[in-house]
């Protein structure tokens, strides 16, 4: 009898390993075919990651389903591992719960990546609103999957009220910072003081909101660095959001010219620079019109400011650099001097006796 059981166990293990080997071999052949196809077709590179991801998940689910169905009549699959209250948890129930949760997570990624974008494009939703809908859909689907998996296992959800009470006490003491950031993240997603794609300033660092997670927000700087900021920061602190409400931005370009310069000529040249940049750049706006502000009389220069409006804050660095190039060239061509700070040094005359003593030494 023992020998018969051992032989059956060995047979089941060999069959399982054989099925896994076949599935992985098929996966290998498909990946090899895709690799050869990439060499022949340069346009297939964008499809390959999606196909590879689908193959990987299909392989995992195929193995899991095979184990569930092939060993459904075995005793060890349903034997008690541990108990939660009056519910006995077996390996079969754990695999079912794992299958439901992972399948829900995969479905969420597929729906948000392939099915929802066409809807977003149809109704012309901005990137931030798309991200908000994707997060809400993902969280909702995962909560439903967890509830279904717990119900499938046989747990009474009303028994979780005690656990929820303990968790509430833990949040009140040891997890208040995490809870604060999580709730702040929900407020950000619904109230939308910032959204994905916004240009913000964090501690004098300019960056774009890349992702809003449950606990923190990822900011990508202009140097392609990532700043990980807690969500509560955007609720409690003062944040400069260049993209909030109106994406237009006024650029201020300061310039100083030497005393004695023709200020009317300077104003004409600055407006000409703005006009030239508007003809060359798609970001410079016609209205509001560029203006020149005579700021005042500095220590060594007459100070001006050129105000010019652009359509998006993401073009601020490029546009300001172009304006500076144009300003330097047009002022030089028209003989307008850009001064540098100067200081006058006055040396007091020394007494003749002191001079004589210095000579004697």
């Amino acid at each position: 009898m023992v020998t018969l059981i051992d032989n059956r166990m060995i047979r089941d293990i060999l069959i399982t390993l054989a099925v896994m080997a076949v599935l992985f071999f098929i996966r290998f052949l498909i990946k090899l075919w895709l690799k050869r196809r990439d060499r022949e077709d340069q346009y297939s590179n964008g499809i390959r990651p999606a196909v590879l991801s689908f193959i990987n998940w299909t392989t995992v689910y195929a193995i899991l389903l095979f184990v569930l169905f092939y060993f459904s009549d075995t005793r060890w699959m349903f034997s008690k591992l541990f108990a939660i209250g009056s519910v006995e948890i077996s390996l079969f129930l754990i695999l079912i719960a794992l299958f439901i949760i992972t399948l829900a997570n995969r479905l969420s990624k597929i729906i948000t990546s392939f099915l929802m974008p066409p809807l977003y494009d149809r109704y012309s939703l901005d990137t931030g609103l798309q991200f908000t809908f994707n997060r809400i859909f993902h969280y909702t689907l995962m909560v439903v999957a967890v509830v279904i998996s717990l119900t499938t296992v046989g747990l009474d959800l009303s028994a979780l009220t005690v656990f929820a009470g303990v968790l509430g006490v833990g949040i009140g003491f040891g997890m208040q910072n995490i809870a604060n950031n999580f709730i702040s993240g929900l407020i950000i997603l619904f109230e939308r003081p910032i959204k994905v794609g916004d240009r913000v300033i964090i501690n004098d660092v300019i960056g774009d909101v890349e992702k809003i997670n449950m606990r923190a927000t990822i900011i990508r700087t202009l140097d392609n660095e990532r700043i990980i900021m807690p969500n509560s920061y955007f609720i409690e602190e003062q944040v400069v959001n260049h993209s909030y409400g109106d994406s237009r931005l006024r650029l201020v370009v300061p310039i100083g010219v030497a005393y004695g310069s023709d200020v009317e000529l300077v104003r004409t040249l600055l407006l000409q620079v703005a006009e030239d940049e508007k003809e060359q750049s798609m970001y410079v706006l016609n209205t509001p019109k560029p203006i020149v502000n005579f700021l005042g009389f500095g220590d060594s220069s007459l100070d001006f400011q050129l105000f010019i409006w652009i359509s998006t804050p993401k073009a601020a660095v490029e546009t300001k650099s172009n304006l500076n190039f144009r300003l330097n060239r047009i002022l030089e061509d028209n003989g307008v001097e850009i001064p540098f700070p100067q200081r006058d040094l006055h040396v007091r005359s020394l007494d003749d006796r002191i001079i004589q003593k210095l000579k004697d030494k």
Side-chain angles (χ1 to χ4, degrees):
M1 184 67 179
V2 176
T3 305
L4 181 62
I5 295 176
D6 292 340
N7 291 336
R8 182 178 180 182
M9 183 177 297
I10 294 174
R11 185 196 64 182
D12 292 340
I13 293 175
L14 292 177
I15 292 176
T16 303
L17 293 176
V19 171
M20 293 176 61
V22 171
L23 290 174
F24 280 107
F25 180 71
I26 295 175
R27 174 175 170 267
F28 171 76
L29 291 179
I30 296 177
K31 292 179 67 176
L32 185 63
W33 176 77
L34 287 175
K35 187 175 181 180
R36 292 181 178 178
R37 185 178 177 85
D38 287 344
R39 296 175 182 175
E40 300 174 358
D41 188 0
Q42 59 179 345
Y43 299 103
S44 63
N45 292 331
I47 303 176
R48 184 186 179 193
V51 176
L52 289 178
S53 178
F54 176 77
I55 293 173
N56 292 334
W57 279 92
T58 302
T59 304
V60 173
Y61 285 136
I63 295 174
L64 186 58
L65 289 175
F66 170 78
V67 172
L68 288 175
F69 285 103
Y70 183 78
F71 296 100
S72 60
D73 57 344
T74 57
R75 181 178 300 177
W76 59 267
M77 178 68 76
F78 298 90
S79 61
K80 174 184 173 182
L81 298 177
F82 57 91
I84 300 178
S86 59
V87 179
E88 296 182 354
I89 305 300
S90 63
L91 180 61
F92 180 81
L93 295 179
I94 293 177
L95 291 178
I96 289 293
L98 180 64
F99 177 78
I100 294 174
I101 294 176
T102 55
L103 181 61
N105 182 61
R106 189 58 187 168
L107 286 177
S108 174
K109 292 183 178 180
I110 292 175
I111 293 174
T112 55
S113 299
F114 299 100
L115 299 182
M116 297 182 73
L119 295 177
Y120 297 149
D121 296 338
R122 179 179 180 181
Y123 294 101
S124 302
L125 298 182
D126 60 78
T127 306
L129 198 57
Q130 295 179 21
F131 183 84
T132 300
F133 284 150
N134 288 342
R135 290 288 91 185
I136 293 174
F137 178 81
H138 176 74
Y139 294 152
T140 304
L141 188 60
M142 291 307 298
V143 169
V144 172
V146 170
V147 172
I148 293 175
S149 62
L150 293 178
T151 305
T152 304
V153 169
L155 293 178
D156 186 4
L157 298 181
S158 61
L160 298 178
T161 54
V162 177
F163 174 76
V166 175
L167 182 62
V169 174
I171 291 176
F173 289 97
M175 301 177 62
Q176 57 181 347
N177 189 26
I178 297 176
N180 183 25
N181 288 317
F182 175 75
I183 295 174
S184 298
L186 295 179
I187 294 174
I188 291 174
L189 290 176
F190 284 98
E191 187 178 321
R192 305 178 72 212
I194 63 169
K195 59 183 183 297
V196 174
D198 281 0
R199 173 66 57 90
V200 297
I201 299 179
I202 304 295
N203 297 330
D204 298 328
V205 178
I206 301 176
D208 299 322
V209 179
E210 186 175 70
K211 193 174 183 181
I212 302 175
N213 293 323
M214 294 178 61
R215 190 193 64 84
T217 297
I218 312 300
I219 308 294
R220 180 172 58 86
T221 68
L222 299 182
D223 298 327
N224 203 32
E225 299 174 338
R226 268 63 176 181
I227 301 177
I228 303 175
M229 298 297 298
N231 290 330
S232 58
Y233 177 88
F234 299 96
I235 303 299
E236 301 171 355
E237 303 294 335
Q238 181 178 353
V239 180
V240 178
N241 187 350
H242 285 166
S243 305
Y244 186 79
D246 190 352
S247 61
R248 296 180 302 170
L249 180 67
R250 188 185 72 174
L251 289 183
V252 180
V253 182
I255 186 68
V257 299
Y259 276 93
S261 302
D262 186 349
V263 294
E264 295 296 334
L265 174 62
V266 172
R267 178 167 62 178
T268 302
L269 295 177
L270 293 182
L271 292 177
Q272 181 62 43
V273 165
E275 185 66 26
D276 293 342
E277 181 64 20
K278 182 175 63 176
E279 293 178 357
Q280 297 294 328
S281 175
M282 59 181 294
Y283 302 111
V284 179
L285 301 175
N286 293 321
T287 55
K289 294 182 179 180
I291 63 172
V292 176
N293 177 33
F294 193 163
L295 188 61
F297 302 90
D299 294 337
S300 57
S301 64
L302 301 174
D303 298 329
F304 293 84
Q305 290 177 326
L306 173 61
F307 295 156
I308 187 171
W309 288 82
I310 58 177
S311 59
T312 172
K314 295 183 180 181
V317 175
E318 177 185 356
T319 304
K320 195 168 186 177
S321 177
N322 292 339
L323 291 172
N324 286 329
F325 274 110
R326 295 182 186 275
L327 282 172
N328 183 73
R329 182 171 62 250
I330 198 171
L331 293 179
E332 183 179 352
D333 293 343
N334 288 271
V336 179
E337 180 183 355
I338 301 177
F340 52 87
Q342 300 180 12
R343 296 291 184 270
D344 295 331
L345 179 63
H346 299 277
V347 181
R348 295 179 58 187
S349 58
L350 299 177
D351 189 87
D352 293 339
R353 290 176 296 179
I354 298 177
I355 296 176
Q356 186 62 38
K357 289 182 179 181
L358 292 175
K359 290 182 178 180
D360 294 339
K361 291 182 179 181

